[in-house]
Amino acid sequence: MSGDVLVYDDDCGFCTWWADYFGRRTDLELVGFSDLTGDQRARLPDDYESCMHLLIDDTVYSCGAAAERTFARADVPPGTRDLTRFLGQFEDYERFRERAYRAIADRRDLWGQFLSKDRPER
């Protein structure tokens, strides 16, 4: 394990499916909201339950930034690392990334009809 942590909503089947997907393709530790330690929770923003987070060293990436870095880390699809590095040069990219994340996250009940997994047993 790298010590880096992907924090996700483990009450959401769609979110749990994606966490499991990335857990099999990266060395990230997966931690659902219900299993956060006090130290992990203290690092997150007050509204942490509104999106996923990636804890890397002393940095917290949230929402679209967390998704982008997680996809890049897994290199899914191949070339994602290079693509996100390239897109990061453009002023409007961050706004686009966050809007795209919200468009998907705000409809996770719909997407969960197609991709869903029960939360892991504790």
Side-chain angles (χ1 to χ4, degrees), residues 79-98:
T80 297
R81 292 180 193 129
D82 294 333
L83 178 61
T84 57
R85 222 180 343 257
F86 172 74
L87 291 173
Q89 301 175 74
F90 298 98
E91 188 176 310
D92 292 335
Y93 172 66
E94 183 177 334
R95 186 171 43 249
F96 168 77
R97 178 192 68 207
E98 296 307 316

Side-chain angles (χ1 to χ4, degrees), residues 2 12 34 48-49 51 72 77 81 86 117:
S2 66
C12 165
S34 64
Y48 73 89
E49 292 177 310
C51 64
R81 292 180 193 129
F86 172 74
K117 183 173 182 164

Side-chain angles (χ1 to χ4, degrees), residues 2 7 20 29 36 39 53 60-61 76 91 101 103 110 119-120:
S2 66
V7 178
D20 179 67
E29 177 185 352
L36 284 167
D39 289 340
H53 308 277
V60 177
Y61 299 95
V76 174
E91 188 176 310
Y101 179 86
L110 169 68
R119 99 168 71 182

